[in-house]
Amino acid sequence: MSRIGLQTIPVPDKVSVAQDGRQLTVEGPMGRLEWSLPRGIGMREEAGVLTLQREGDSRQLRALHGTARSLVANMVRGVSAGFSKDLEIQGVGFRAAVKGEVLDLSIGKSHPVVYPIPPDLKVTVTENTKIRVEGVDKQRVGQFAAEVRSAYPPEPYKGKGIRYAGEYVRRKAGKNVKK
């Protein structure tokens, strides 16, 4: 039995869930998300609580049961509270700025690195070195943050680069100069 798939999903008062066949639509104060349930996975709503069931006991359905439950729970949380990822830039002269619909990074390269901001995400920069990515879709928020981080991942010698807030970077010792 899937322990994750059997857990119920509480639906807040401000969130509405609609199902048309396998198509699932979740709307809330932060936005709207749509997703198609996999074949063999069904959903029931009773008294503000969602429950996902699987039709069979095949290996694939057991795997999809917990995944589908987690994705639906993330949709409900996303439209009610939203998701955010924080990034920090470390390095002398490294900075970021939001210019219109693009995120402009000056990270020690010969040219500025520019990332277009997707319309469903909100990106803010504070102190020129702290980037906050917010949105309703957890996957989109995490993917955009990962793309920005990949422009200059933290390096282990001086610790320069873009890292997630609170991320620990294991430092290495530099060269030993012998006389």
Side-chain angles (χ1 to χ4, degrees):
M1 282 305 241
S2 171
R3 288 173 284 199
I4 300 293
L6 293 176
Q7 295 176 1
T8 59
I9 305 166
V11 180
D13 295 334
K14 300 174 187 172
V15 176
S16 66
V17 178
Q19 185 177 7
D20 182 25
R22 288 191 357 247
Q23 189 67 25
L24 180 66
T25 305
V26 181
E27 285 190 71
M30 300 286 288
R32 169 191 172 125
L33 291 173
E34 293 183 359
W35 185 62
S36 293
L37 287 170
R39 293 187 195 279
I41 303 291
M43 189 186 75
R44 221 175 13 155
E45 183 177 8
E46 295 175 349
V49 175
L50 296 176
T51 308
L52 271 72
Q53 304 115 353
R54 61 178 186 255
E55 294 173 358
D57 219 20
S58 69
R59 183 180 181 98
Q60 184 179 13
L61 279 181
R62 288 194 318 257
L64 284 174
H65 190 204
T67 301
R69 187 256 172 221
S70 294
L71 291 173
V72 172
N74 286 340
M75 289 172 67
V76 170
R77 179 169 176 241
V79 298
S80 61
F83 291 99
S84 67
K85 281 272 191 191
D86 293 323
L87 298 164
E88 298 171 348
I89 301 176
Q90 291 191 352
V92 176
F94 288 14
R95 64 183 177 275
V98 175
K99 295 180 180 175
E101 296 298 315
V102 295
L103 177 64
D104 187 13
L105 301 173
S106 297
I107 48 176
K109 297 189 178 186
S110 63
H111 58 283
V113 180
V114 177
Y115 284 100
I117 300 171
D120 57 336
L121 296 181
K122 180 183 173 195
V123 177
T124 55
V125 176
T126 56
E127 302 175 25
N128 290 331
T129 59
K130 297 188 185 325
I131 304 169
R132 185 176 189 91
V133 182
E134 298 173 304
V136 292
D137 191 350
K138 185 175 185 177
Q139 192 274 331
R140 303 259 303 155
V141 169
Q143 182 65 40
F144 185 76
E147 288 171 7
V148 170
R149 182 183 181 276
S150 71
Y152 199 129
E155 53 99 4
Y157 296 101
K158 292 186 179 180
K160 298 189 314 184
I162 303 171
R163 64 179 74 182
Y164 296 115
E167 178 182 2
Y168 175 74
V169 177
R170 190 169 181 186
R171 301 287 294 271
K172 291 184 178 178
K175 287 184 180 178
N176 288 334
V177 179
K178 294 184 180 184
K179 292 184 179 186

